């Protein structure tokens, strides 16, 4: 009998046969509004038939949604994020939660460095100036990356890869802030976010999202970064106080920012897009062909392992590695 998988996010057509051949029935989701239970689209499937959900961290799954799916056994998060999955509710109901840790780290780290280089060297601004015929006017000096100080906020898998690129590719000094120092890292540790920002020329945000990190980068942090400092965010928009960022960019209290994520996305404040010292990309850091293939392969692996009685490859922290058996 097929195992029914409710899809909050679509599986590319080329990858669907692998899921179907493995015995999974794909059920597109329908959500009337953000507070309503997420149910199979068009009433095509009985909610009680759903055994697993594929979601992403920014959509998640609430306790009410879990209650609407009484036979739910497994929640798979496509990427590494799981901030809007109610983990307490999942544990109470015996539902396993797994994510895609390690599947998109390389793509996100690459994008972070691309944003950093583009912002510091003002590549978009220079391109626009040349297109306007302002060749001579645009030939202003810009900071170099080599030899600078980069602060990594969140030294997880992605943070480690960013640190490696900065240190080995651009001979940068690297420091970081986590809730606790990493015992396996010899990098400089700063015990507060503001201390890291004060030390750094470039502050790269790659910490998880969620209530615990909301506005972790605030007005005080940005002031500590200073008028010559640059902010890069490839984590979640909620980590940065958008109002404080807009104010600091307007006043040139920091030199610039490059964001792949925005608080309240996909809506972007007009006050943000009006600024000339910011680069914005539409949450695409993890969207390389290689990363997408790896993420969906992990989802299929998690589903197959769980429903065949084997531990899932990447249970989220705090989840016992239980199985369906």
């Amino acid at each position: 009998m097929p195992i029914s998988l409710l899809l909050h996010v679509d599986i590319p057509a080329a990858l669907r046969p692998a899921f179907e051949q493995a015995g999974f029935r794909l059920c597109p989701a329908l959500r009337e509004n953000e507070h309503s239970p997420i149910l199979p689209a068009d009433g095509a499937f009985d909610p009680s038939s759903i055994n697993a959900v594929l979601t992403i961290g920014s959509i998640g799954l609430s306790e009410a949604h879990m209650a609407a799916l009484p036979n739910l056994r497994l929640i798979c998060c496509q990427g590494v994020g799981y901030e809007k999955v109610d983990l307490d509710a999942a544990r109470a109901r015996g539902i396993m939660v797994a994510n895609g840790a390690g599947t998109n780290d390389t793509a996100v780290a690459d994008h972070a460095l691309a944003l950093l280089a583009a912002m510091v060297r003002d590549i978009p601004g220079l391109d626009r100036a040349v297109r306007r015929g302002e060749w001579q006017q645009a030939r202003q000096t810009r900071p170099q990356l080599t030899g600078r100080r980069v602060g990594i906020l969140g030294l997880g898998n992605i943070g480690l890869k960013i640190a490696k690129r900065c240190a080995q590719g651009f001979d940068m000094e690297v420091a970081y802030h986590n809730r606790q120092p990493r015992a396996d890292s010899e990098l400089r540790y700063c015990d507060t976010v503001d201390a890291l920002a004060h030390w750094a020329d470039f502050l790269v945000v790659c910490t998880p999202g969620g209530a615990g990190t909301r506005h972790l980068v605030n007005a005080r942090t940005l002031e500590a970064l200073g008028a010559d400092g640059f902010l890069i965010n490839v984590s979640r928009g909620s980590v940065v106080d958008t109002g404080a960022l807009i104010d600091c960019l307007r006043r040139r209290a920091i030199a610039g920012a490059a964001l792949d994520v925005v608080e309240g996305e996909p809506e972007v404040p007009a006050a943000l897009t009006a600024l000339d010292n910011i680069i914005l990309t539409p949450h695409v850091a993890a969207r390389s062909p290689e990363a997408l293939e790896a993420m969906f392969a992990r989802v299929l692996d998690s589903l197959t392992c769980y429903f065949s009685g084997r531990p899932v490859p990447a249970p989220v922290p705090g989840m016992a590695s239980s199985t369906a058996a």
Side-chain angles (χ1 to χ4, degrees), residues 158-172:
I158 293 169
L160 284 168
K161 291 194 173 185
I162 293 171
K164 180 179 179 180
R165 285 157 171 74
C166 290
Q168 297 183 7
F170 293 97
D171 197 26
M172 292 185 197

Side-chain angles (χ1 to χ4, degrees), residues 281-301:
T281 58
H283 204 152
V284 295
R287 294 186 64 82
S288 72
E290 298 88 347
L292 286 173
E293 183 177 347
M295 283 189 281
F296 283 110
R298 170 65 59 78
V299 170
L300 182 55
D301 193 20

Side-chain angles (χ1 to χ4, degrees), residues 8-13 15 54-56 58-59 78-80 103-112 115 158 234-236 260-261 265 281-296:
H8 286 186
V9 290
D10 197 22
I11 296 175
L15 302 179
L54 172 60
T55 189
I56 55 176
S58 58
I59 294 177
Q78 176 186 313
V80 66
T103 57
N104 60 18
D105 303 350
T106 295
V108 176
D110 284 356
H111 197 77
L115 287 176
I158 293 169
V234 290
S235 62
R236 289 291 189 264
D260 184 52
V261 288
E265 63 185 55
T281 58
H283 204 152
V284 295
R287 294 186 64 82
S288 72
E290 298 88 347
L292 286 173
E293 183 177 347
M295 283 189 281
F296 283 110

Side-chain angles (χ1 to χ4, degrees), residues 157-209:
N157 292 338
I158 293 169
L160 284 168
K161 291 194 173 185
I162 293 171
K164 180 179 179 180
R165 285 157 171 74
C166 290
Q168 297 183 7
F170 293 97
D171 197 26
M172 292 185 197
E173 292 184 65
V174 181
Y176 75 100
H177 172 74
N178 281 1
R179 283 172 292 183
Q180 299 292 333
R182 288 189 62 133
D184 60 351
S185 175
E186 296 181 356
L187 295 175
R188 178 188 183 118
Y189 176 74
C190 294
D191 59 4
T192 68
V193 179
D194 295 350
L196 179 67
H198 180 75
W199 176 87
D201 299 307
F202 314 137
L203 181 63
V204 182
V205 182
C206 45
T207 190

Side-chain angles (χ1 to χ4, degrees), residues 4 33 55 63 89 93 96 188 190 194 230 252 267 271 290 294 297:
S4 295
N33 61 64
T55 189
E63 182 177 15
R93 293 175 176 274
M96 167 56 64
R188 178 188 183 118
C190 294
D194 295 350
F230 293 87
R252 308 286 170 169
E267 300 300 321
E290 298 88 347

Side-chain angles (χ1 to χ4, degrees), residues 153 193-194 197 203 205 213-225 231 238-245 248 254:
L153 178 53
V193 179
D194 295 350
L203 181 63
V205 182
T213 58
R214 183 178 183 274
H215 291 183
L216 192 59
V217 175
N218 52 37
R220 188 179 60 248
T221 310
L222 297 170
E223 293 287 349
L225 185 58
L231 175 73
S238 60
V239 180
V240 176
D241 183 334
T242 303
L245 177 61
C248 285
I254 66 172

